[in-house]
Amino acid sequence: MTNRRFSLHYLSLTGIIAVGAMLRFANLDLKPLWMDEVITAIFSLGKQYSDVPLDVVFPLEQLQDIFTYQPRVSCSQIAHTIANQSTHPPLFFCLMHTWLGWLSLLGKDWVMKLRSLPALFGVSAIAAIYYVNRLAFSKAAGLTAAMLMAISPFAVYLSQEARHYTLPMLLITLSLLGLVQIQQDIFQRQKLRIWVWLAWTITNIIGLYIHYFFVLAFIAEVGTLFVLMYYSTILSKNNKLEIKTQSTEEFSSIDCEQISSPIILKPRQIWLALIISISAVAFSFLPWLPVLVSNYERPETDWLDPPYHIAPFYQTLINWVLMVIALPVEKQSLFIKVISVLLMLFFAIWVGWLVYKKLKQMWCKQTTHLSTITLLSFLSIILLEFFFIAYLLQKDITTVPRYNFVYYPSFCALISASLTKFKNTSQETTLSVSTKLKIPYACLQNYQLSTILIVGFISSIFVIYNLVFLKPYEPEKVAQNMNQDPSIPLMVVVGYKNYQDVALGLSFALALEKVRSEKVGEWESGEKNQISNSQFPISNSQLPSSDFAFFKQAPDFGSVWQKLSQLPPPTTNQLNLWVVAPGLKRRDYPQKLAFSQTTTCTKDMAQHYRVGIPYQLYRCGGRVEETTNH
């Protein structure tokens, strides 16, 4: 009987991981690649920006050559490219290059391959968070943490990004596992295990070469150990720390236990192990430190705005809400926006109240007290670091939800532990073996947890169908706007200042190439929709051309207009010319511009758009039609 229940527990964990995998791998290629994912693609495929045709006109079909896997590129070559053309550590891109090499024989859908490795890391994080809460609290809390992360819309969103977010999140989760183990070794086992410290140190070393924000997690973990050591010193001065109801206002309906003073037999050994670990992590990063220092001055790091008053605080609260519920708001009607916001607000208040009450209980219980302090300290220190960066460094990273991957594992662990419920909560962590093995049934009886899981699952469905967490700069929408006249030849010109502008332009080009090729497919299959027969080409040679160009803004956008005037004359009577101009205001677009020496292009006043950057339509060789304003 015991073996059957034991198997049921792990069967439940397997099912949870399977659900998480299904959500993360569903519709991986549905969403268009956006700027940051294009950057990932370039470096992971073994390419660099010099492989992109700059300052020349090229057909969209040439994109296939740009995004082709290069098998003979080494990790050291990728690292050299990253050091000169990006602002990130190299290890993730090396892993991606190896992964894409393994999948190179599995068809041509390179977008799905590109996103599959982050999705796999996201699935692995589910198993990792299970072990964090199992070790910190109980098997039940472990299963709850796995369930919560599996259906979290935030975790699913990160897992479907071809970026280095789920891998550091996985490593932070493993590092937290090591931190909890160290905490228990210090206060319960009262001995140090070298392999635990070694694994914890190596995890942090690897993490720093994956994402620079990993240093925030490492500092928070070190700070947490300092907090624990200081806390034990305070407790040792009093034989017991009595948590009294003078906190009656704070702990109104909770009977708090007396927290016994933890005994540390050899504090000097702990300090020595900590110093050695910190030194090892610091020394291991020295080879890459000059690159990090030089990256700080690069223009690619200047896109974050300074904080606006108390915005970082309420933005942090909004980010917390999106970790448990995310309903369609972006690009929706006002009615849907209002309904979605109200539902998310009420749901977040309800969940917050549940978590708040249970966290107080966890703080007051002898068996969960230290683990609660450990995770709360880690979370609090990282939040302080976020506010430090926002207010002192004047870079408000709280505006970017994806950066919360740094503390999401601790957030998930605390929320899930507070939602774990048993019939006898006073013995939650000292249950008999047979009772612990009934965890799946206990979870089903917790209607509060079930409600949260259902809402999270629905939210994740919205994520995988691209209804929430929309891609920045909306490449798909830009492509649709540019392809309004599919029967007319098209050229897109991007005036770039730096490599990020090139990556942004490539994301538009990829989305546009997909839209144009879909239209060609309709033509080839004879599906003319509602367009007249005269607009359809009769052979492949008569298909409307689709060209792209990147022209350098040096010293300003005047150089772009000059290069346009020097192009060869168009081979058709009509041409739709779209100009993407980062940094240009609408009034700075000229009414007319010269295309080659023989053609004049006229600005279509009704076809101006902005998605963080502006893009404007010019009609060359044809009459500008009056259209409704957008």
Side-chain angles (χ1 to χ4, degrees):
M1 179 66 73
T2 300
N3 288 337
R4 186 179 68 82
R5 289 174 176 168
F6 183 82
S7 300
L8 180 61
H9 174 82
Y10 287 101
L11 185 62
S12 301
L13 177 61
T14 303
I16 292 167
I17 295 174
V19 170
M22 177 193 72
L23 291 173
R24 282 153 179 77
F25 282 93
N27 290 342
L28 266 186
D29 58 346
L30 175 67
K31 307 168 192 175
L33 291 178
W34 71 289
M35 179 182 71
D36 282 13
E37 291 181 300
V38 169
I39 294 173
T40 298
I42 291 173
F43 299 135
S44 299
L45 290 168
K47 296 294 189 73
Q48 48 189 307
Y49 284 112
S50 60
D51 296 314
V52 180
L54 302 177
D55 298 300
V56 295
V57 178
F58 63 92
L60 282 179
E61 292 79 7
Q62 194 172 336
L63 286 171
Q64 297 178 6
D65 298 329
I66 298 173
F67 294 98
T68 300
Y69 177 73
Q70 299 296 308
R72 297 182 180 178
V73 177
S74 66
C75 184
S76 61
Q77 290 174 303
I78 292 175
H80 182 266
T81 301
I82 293 289
N84 290 280
Q85 299 185 358
S86 184
T87 57
H88 300 290
L91 189 53
F92 171 77
F93 302 97
C94 292
L95 293 173
M96 281 287 287
H97 183 262
T98 303
W99 175 259
L100 293 174
W102 291 344
L103 301 184
S104 60
L105 299 178
L106 301 179
K108 297 182 179 180
D109 192 354
W110 63 275
V111 174
M112 181 174 287
K113 295 176 188 175
L114 193 70
R115 288 174 171 160
S116 61
L117 185 59
L120 184 61
F121 289 138
V123 174
S124 302
I126 299 172
I129 199 66
Y130 162 79
Y131 283 104
V132 169
N133 264 27
R134 172 175 174 160
L135 182 64
F137 301 106
S138 67
K139 283 186 176 181
L143 271 187
T144 306
M147 286 188 285
L148 199 64
M149 182 175 282
I151 54 82
S152 166
F154 175 74
V156 173
Y157 152 67
L158 288 186
S159 299
Q160 294 199 326
E161 286 270 298
R163 293 295 287 164
H164 47 346
Y165 300 132
T166 51
L167 177 54
M169 187 174 77
L170 168 62
L171 291 174
I172 288 170
T173 307
L174 294 175
S175 189
L176 271 178
L177 180 63
L179 180 66
V180 172
Q181 188 64 75
I182 289 171
Q183 168 244 304
Q184 294 188 356
D185 285 353
I186 292 174
F187 294 106
Q188 294 176 16
R189 294 176 179 269
Q190 297 182 355
K191 68 175 184 179
L192 299 183
R193 288 182 291 176
I194 301 300
W195 72 267
V196 173
W197 284 87
L198 182 62
W200 181 70
T201 303
I202 292 174
T203 301
N204 283 286
I205 291 172
I206 296 172
L208 288 177
Y209 279 95
I210 297 292
H211 200 290
Y212 290 136
F213 278 12
F214 203 97
V215 71
L216 302 179
F218 179 61
I219 292 173
E221 289 179 340
V222 172
T224 298
L225 288 174
F226 275 97
V227 169
L228 290 171
M229 296 295 289
Y230 178 75
Y231 185 68
S232 67
T233 303
I234 297 299
L235 289 183
S236 63
K237 291 182 180 178
N238 317 295
N239 291 328
K240 288 184 180 178
L241 174 65
E242 246 180 298
I243 304 179
K244 304 191 173 193
T245 28
Q246 84 203 59
S247 312
T248 345
E249 309 173 3
E250 185 180 354
F251 303 106
S252 51
S253 59
I254 300 177
D255 296 327
C256 284
E257 301 175 3
Q258 291 183 337
I259 309 301
S260 302
S261 170
I263 300 174
I264 303 177
L265 294 181
K266 300 177 180 179
R268 290 184 180 180
Q269 289 186 5
I270 299 169
W271 290 116
L272 179 62
L274 187 56
I275 291 171
I276 292 174
S277 294
I278 294 173
S279 301
V281 172
F283 279 114
S284 69
F285 195 71
L286 285 180
W288 195 257
L289 187 60
V291 178
L292 172 62
V293 173
S294 65
N295 285 343
Y296 189 78
E297 301 299 327
R298 292 174 66 96
E300 293 93 330
T301 62
D302 292 335
W303 62 276
L304 285 168
D305 295 324
Y308 182 75
H309 300 310
I310 62 169
F313 294 97
Y314 67 72
Q315 284 163 177
T316 298
L317 293 176
I318 292 172
N319 291 333
W320 290 357
V321 172
L322 295 176
M323 292 177 182
V324 292
I325 180 172
L327 301 181
V329 173
E330 302 166 281
K331 307 303 177 184
Q332 301 295 327
S333 66
L334 179 61
F335 176 76
I336 294 179
K337 286 181 179 180
V338 172
I339 296 298
S340 296
V341 169
L342 289 177
L343 287 175
M344 287 193 291
L345 179 62
F346 290 135
F347 183 80
I349 292 173
W350 175 66
V351 173
W353 176 244
L354 292 177
V355 171
Y356 174 70
K357 289 192 300 182
K358 189 61 183 290
L359 279 179
K360 291 195 297 184
Q361 295 178 12
M362 290 163 58
W363 180 276
C364 289
K365 288 175 64 67
Q366 178 75 43
T367 52
T368 57
H369 184 64
L370 281 176
S371 292
T372 304
I373 287 179
T374 300
L375 293 172
L376 275 177
S377 297
F378 176 82
L379 177 60
S380 301
I381 293 172
I382 288 187
L383 290 176
L384 288 175
E385 291 172 330
F386 270 47
F387 296 141
F388 174 87
I389 293 172
Y391 285 106
L392 294 184
L393 300 184
Q394 291 293 289
K395 295 182 184 294
D396 189 4
I397 61 175
T398 64
T399 60
V400 187
R402 59 185 180 274
Y403 288 162
N404 296 303
F405 76 85
V406 182
Y407 66 81
Y408 174 70
S410 60
F411 180 90
C412 180
L414 285 168
I415 296 293
S416 55
S418 65
L419 293 173
T420 303
K421 183 178 180 181
F422 291 91
K423 292 182 180 179
N424 186 358
T425 57
S426 64
Q427 298 175 1
E428 181 176 310
T429 56
T430 57
L431 295 172
S432 67
V433 173
S434 61
T435 305
K436 284 184 177 182
L437 295 174
K438 297 179 182 178
I439 288 169
Y441 303 105
C443 292
L444 289 176
Q445 294 172 357
N446 186 347
Y447 79 92
Q448 296 169 339
L449 175 60
S450 300
T451 302
I452 293 170
L453 293 176
I454 291 171
V455 170
F457 184 83
I458 294 172
S459 299
S460 294
I461 296 297
F462 288 139
V463 172
I464 64 179
Y465 281 98
N466 202 26
L467 294 173
V468 296
F469 290 116
L470 301 186
K471 298 295 185 183
Y473 302 108
E474 305 176 55
E476 190 173 32
K477 181 64 175 177
V478 172
Q480 291 170 354
N481 289 337
M482 291 180 174
N483 195 47
Q484 292 178 28
D485 301 315
S487 61
I488 299 177
L490 173 71
M491 177 182 288
V492 179
V493 172
V494 178
Y496 71 96
K497 297 178 181 177
N498 50 48
Y499 290 139
Q500 280 191 316
D501 290 340
V502 174
L504 177 62
L506 286 172
S507 71
F508 294 160
L510 287 167
L512 185 60
E513 193 269 341
K514 181 179 180 180
V515 171
R516 299 284 279 190
S517 62
E518 287 174 353
K519 184 58 65 177
V520 169
E522 291 178 8
W523 288 344
E524 292 176 343
S525 62
E527 297 177 17
K528 299 178 174 55
N529 295 332
Q530 297 178 351
I531 305 178
S532 64
N533 291 341
S534 61
Q535 290 179 301
F536 280 84
I538 59 176
S539 67
N540 287 341
S541 62
Q542 293 175 313
L543 292 174
S545 61
S546 305
D547 296 320
F548 217 89
F550 293 98
F551 292 150
K552 179 75 172 178
Q553 296 187 44
D556 53 31
F557 217 85
S559 61
V560 177
W561 307 133
Q562 183 179 3
K563 289 173 183 175
L564 275 172
S565 68
Q566 297 171 351
L567 292 177
T571 57
T572 57
N573 293 329
Q574 284 185 302
L575 176 69
N576 282 347
L577 173 65
W578 287 91
V579 180
V580 182
L584 203 66
K585 296 181 179 179
R586 182 171 187 174
R587 64 174 181 268
D588 296 330
Y589 280 95
Q591 291 298 319
K592 293 183 182 294
L593 57 86
F595 188 98
S596 77
Q597 299 297 325
T598 59
T599 306
T600 299
C601 301
T602 306
K603 180 166 70 173
D604 187 335
M605 301 296 293
Q607 297 293 327
H608 179 89
Y609 301 87
R610 175 176 286 275
V611 284
I613 53 97
Y615 56 105
Q616 171 70 54
L617 172 62
Y618 284 86
R619 298 190 184 272
C620 307
R623 182 174 62 87
V624 178
E625 299 178 0
E626 292 297 330
T627 56
T628 56
N629 196 10
H630 288 72

